[in-house]
């Protein structure tokens, strides 16, 4: 039975950084990887210094719970859900939380964001897989 039959969902959101609150990206990634591992969530984070874009995928209830925590996080403001829907498979199945950095080179995520929400993002927000940082791989 595929994961979609078990309630697998994907969520994509965009938010602005609240500069009145300190932002420790290393700590955010470490915490996200731990929480995601415990809840069967995989995904990726992009951050250009001004805005966050995050993709989460996993069991519907787990994704909802993690997203509720994100909505309450003080580092974010103007959080916009691009989509939250069932999916047949994971895109980031090998990563608890990949980190891509800026969005400078790959327009694909920008196309998704502008097409699905009309979201206005900084011109620097372009995905660049070459900037992929060290991630924690799922066990084989």
């Amino acid at each position: 039975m595929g994961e979609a039959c078990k309630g697998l969902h994907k969520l994509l959101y965009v938010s602005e950084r609240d500069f009145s609150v300190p932002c420790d990206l290393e700590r955010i990634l470490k915490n996200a990887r731990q929480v995601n591992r415990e809840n069967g969530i995989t995904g990726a984070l992009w951050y250009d210094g001004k805005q966050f874009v995050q993709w989460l995928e996993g069991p519907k209830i787990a994704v909802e719970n993690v997203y509720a925590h994100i909505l309450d996080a003080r580092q974010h403001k103007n959080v916009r859900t691009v989509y939250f829907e069932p999916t047949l498979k994971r895109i980031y199945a090998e990563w608890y939380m990949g980190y891509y950095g800026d969005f400078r080179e790959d327009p694909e995520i920008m196309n998704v964001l502008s097409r699905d929400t009309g979201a206005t993002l900084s011109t620097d927000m372009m995905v660049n897989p070459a900037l992929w940082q060290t991630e924690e791989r799922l066990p084989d």
Side-chain angles (χ1 to χ4, degrees):
M1 187 181 295
E3 284 188 283
C5 297
K6 300 176 187 172
L8 184 67
H9 276 64
K10 61 184 177 182
L11 180 140
L12 182 68
Y13 77 87
V14 60
S15 68
E16 297 172 26
R17 177 176 171 200
D18 184 342
F19 286 96
S20 69
V21 177
C23 180
D24 181 347
L25 189 58
E26 198 170 305
R27 188 180 60 56
I28 290 170
L29 288 167
K30 182 179 178 182
N31 290 343
R33 290 173 180 143
Q34 179 180 341
V35 168
N36 291 356
R37 182 183 322 106
E38 293 168 359
N39 291 284
I41 294 174
T42 55
L45 175 71
W46 294 265
Y47 176 61
D48 73 348
K50 299 174 188 172
Q51 295 174 300
F52 296 94
V53 173
Q54 189 168 10
W55 176 282
L56 299 170
E57 53 197 19
K60 180 181 182 184
I61 291 177
V63 172
E64 288 174 334
N65 290 339
V66 167
Y67 192 47
H69 177 73
I70 290 166
L71 291 171
D72 288 338
R74 297 180 319 153
Q75 298 93 334
H76 300 275
K77 64 181 183 179
N78 299 324
V79 180
R80 295 174 300 256
T81 305
V82 177
Y83 53 77
F84 180 44
E85 61 192 27
T87 187
L88 296 175
K89 67 177 189 171
R90 294 175 188 259
I91 302 294
Y92 297 97
E94 296 184 3
W95 307 106
Y96 290 117
M97 183 51 54
Y99 176 64
Y100 282 98
D102 274 358
F103 283 50
R104 299 193 194 276
E105 309 250 334
D106 181 354
E108 185 174 344
I109 194 111
M110 291 297 295
N111 289 339
V112 169
L113 291 169
S114 63
R115 179 186 70 234
D116 292 349
T117 66
T120 303
L121 303 174
S122 66
T123 56
D124 291 340
M125 279 190 107
M126 298 289 289
V127 176
N128 182 352
L131 298 175
W132 198 305
Q133 305 284 322
T134 303
E135 291 88 10
E136 203 171 309
R137 276 204 173 272
L138 293 171
D140 292 327

